[in-house]
Amino acid sequence: MSLKAPTRPDSQWRTEEEATVDHVMIMDNTSDITMLTLSGLSGETTNRMVIFSLTLLCYFLILMVNISLVLTIILDHNLHQPMYIFVCNLCLNALYGTAGFYPRFLLDLLFSWHVISIGGCVVQGLVIYSSVCIEYSILALMAYDRYAAICRPLDYHSLMKKRNVSLLTCFSWVIPFLIILASTIKTYTLKLCGTHIDKLYCASWLVVKIACSPGLTNAVLSYITIIIYFFHFVYIFMSYFYLVRTCVKSIETKRKFMQTCLPHLVTLLNVMVAVLFDVMFMRFGSADVSPMIKNALSLEFLIIPPIVNPLIYGIILTKIRNRIRFILFHKKVTN
């Protein structure tokens, strides 16, 4: 008795062949993805020009208040002190971070397609999230400066010499940028199996979500970054704890705390809540949340801190307030 191999109809052989070819084509396509779609504005067509006008107004206000404060501090030699130098850097960082979002978002509002190249996505995510980390580093320097001024007044000038301030300021920009750069480079070397990012701007974590195999390294780098800046927050909290404990001992230190430390605390809480909303929602948020709420939560740290922070420092810090008042009154007199 002879055994014959089971025969298959030609159509079945062709079907399997086509399936294999399709699979190969899909794998080739995923490795050749060069453009991504930002789907945060999907379905929003009726109020596009209203949103554009409000966004343009918001960005203009951010530019105006931050540039005004930066120029005020740079042009007045009496404000060339550590605390005001750190405030100046905080405003410069706000200009840097918002430049990564607003120009691109304004263009997206003018066109119906919202695609971005892989390279553009890399740059946008790097700028936005490095600015967040830089802001935390500058706030940590501010906490250290106030701790040295109030708790160790006799050592303040030796601790905050011009050279030390320059080095600390440089580190507060370079180190956070390199941390986010390392994470960003690793993220964008992944092979992508999707093109849709459910956000108004690029974020490394969302790119990891559409990768074919996210890998352990990306998760490790992300959590290392979170841990580093969690300890920044702990350090800032402990610094202000000692400041408060010192300030309750005398009326003079209380007054000094209210004038110079209160705006730092308001800024810290503002930034912390904004970033916490964005990070927690991006990682653990539900898909059932309405796009309006989702967009509001993701934009909060790009709207509120860049506007509120310079206003707080311009109003509460006496030297800055007096300098701005002098400039305004001087212009009125000369005109």
Side-chain angles (χ1 to χ4, degrees):
M1 182 177 178
S2 62
L3 295 174
K4 287 186 178 181
T7 59
R8 300 185 183 184
D10 289 344
S11 61
Q12 190 171 349
W13 283 110
R14 282 197 299 270
T15 303
E16 290 185 1
E17 245 178 60
E18 289 169 359
T20 304
V21 171
D22 290 344
H23 178 71
V24 172
M25 289 177 63
I26 289 170
M27 293 304 293
D28 288 341
N29 288 338
T30 58
S31 62
D32 294 334
I33 291 174
T34 58
M35 304 297 289
L36 299 174
T37 303
L38 300 173
S39 55
L41 277 175
S42 296
E44 183 58 56
T45 56
T46 55
N47 300 320
R48 189 70 59 89
M49 292 312 298
V50 174
I51 297 173
F52 177 85
S53 302
L54 292 175
T55 303
L56 186 62
L57 179 63
C58 180
Y59 190 41
F60 175 76
L61 185 59
I62 288 171
L63 292 175
M64 184 182 69
V65 294
N66 283 281
I67 291 174
S68 298
L69 201 58
V70 168
L71 290 178
T72 300
I73 293 171
I74 289 175
L75 296 177
D76 189 347
H77 292 283
N78 294 322
L79 298 177
H80 292 182
Q81 300 172 20
M83 180 175 66
Y84 303 109
I85 291 172
F86 296 146
V87 171
C88 181
N89 277 271
L90 201 66
C91 294
L92 287 172
N93 181 59
L95 295 172
Y96 162 68
T98 54
F101 169 72
Y102 282 95
R104 168 75 204 190
F105 182 59
L106 288 168
L107 284 176
D108 284 342
L109 289 169
L110 292 177
F111 299 100
S112 57
W113 44 269
H114 311 119
V115 296
I116 187 169
S117 66
I118 294 290
C121 197
V122 170
V123 173
Q124 187 179 57
L126 176 63
V127 169
I128 291 175
Y129 285 99
S130 65
S131 73
V132 173
C133 295
I134 290 167
E135 186 146 359
Y136 267 99
S137 297
I138 295 172
L139 289 172
L141 289 182
M142 289 179 164
Y144 175 72
D145 174 72
R146 291 301 85 200
Y147 168 79
I150 294 175
C151 299
R152 301 178 61 183
L154 299 178
D155 300 326
Y156 179 75
H157 293 291
S158 61
L159 291 172
M160 303 303 291
K161 292 186 293 188
K162 184 180 292 187
R163 181 174 177 274
N164 293 347
V165 171
S166 300
L167 286 173
L168 289 172
T169 304
C170 183
F171 288 152
S172 71
W173 282 81
V174 174
I175 293 176
F177 181 83
L178 293 178
I179 290 172
I180 300 301
L181 179 63
S183 178
T184 302
I185 290 173
K186 183 60 183 174
T187 298
Y188 289 94
T189 56
L190 297 172
K191 180 187 278 188
L192 303 181
C193 286
T195 59
H196 293 278
I197 295 178
D198 191 20
K199 205 177 181 72
L200 294 171
Y201 54 88
C202 282
S204 295
W205 183 254
L206 296 180
V207 175
V208 171
K209 283 186 174 182
I210 62 172
C212 301
S213 55
L216 182 62
T217 307
N218 297 93
V220 170
L221 288 173
S222 296
Y223 285 112
I224 286 174
T225 304
I226 291 172
I227 290 170
I228 289 172
Y229 287 96
F230 172 76
F231 280 111
H232 273 61
F233 171 74
V234 171
Y235 170 77
I236 296 169
F237 177 81
M238 293 303 297
S239 298
Y240 283 110
F241 173 78
Y242 283 109
L243 280 169
V244 171
R245 196 174 68 173
T246 303
C247 289
V248 296
K249 296 178 181 179
S250 69
I251 296 176
E252 184 180 351
T253 52
K254 281 182 184 177
R255 183 179 59 83
K256 198 171 185 179
F257 178 85
M258 293 299 294
Q259 286 183 347
T260 62
C261 298
L262 187 60
H264 297 167
L265 278 175
V266 174
T267 301
L268 174 63
L269 291 174
N270 188 14
V271 173
M272 183 189 69
V273 171
V275 174
L276 186 64
F277 269 133
D278 180 63
V279 172
M280 295 300 290
F281 188 82
M282 186 166 54
R283 288 175 179 263
F284 309 111
S286 171
D288 299 329
V289 178
S290 70
M292 185 179 295
I293 296 176
K294 190 185 299 184
N295 291 337
L297 291 175
S298 66
L299 292 181
E300 206 270 347
F301 77 94
L302 287 165
I303 298 175
I304 306 301
I307 294 176
V308 173
N309 291 350
L311 292 177
I312 289 173
Y313 290 114
I315 293 171
I316 297 181
L317 294 181
T318 307
K319 286 188 177 181
I320 294 179
R321 184 177 68 246
N322 290 341
R323 179 60 184 171
I324 293 174
R325 187 184 299 168
F326 171 79
I327 292 172
L328 293 175
F329 287 151
H330 180 69
K331 284 184 178 178
K332 288 181 180 180
V333 171
T334 54
N335 289 339

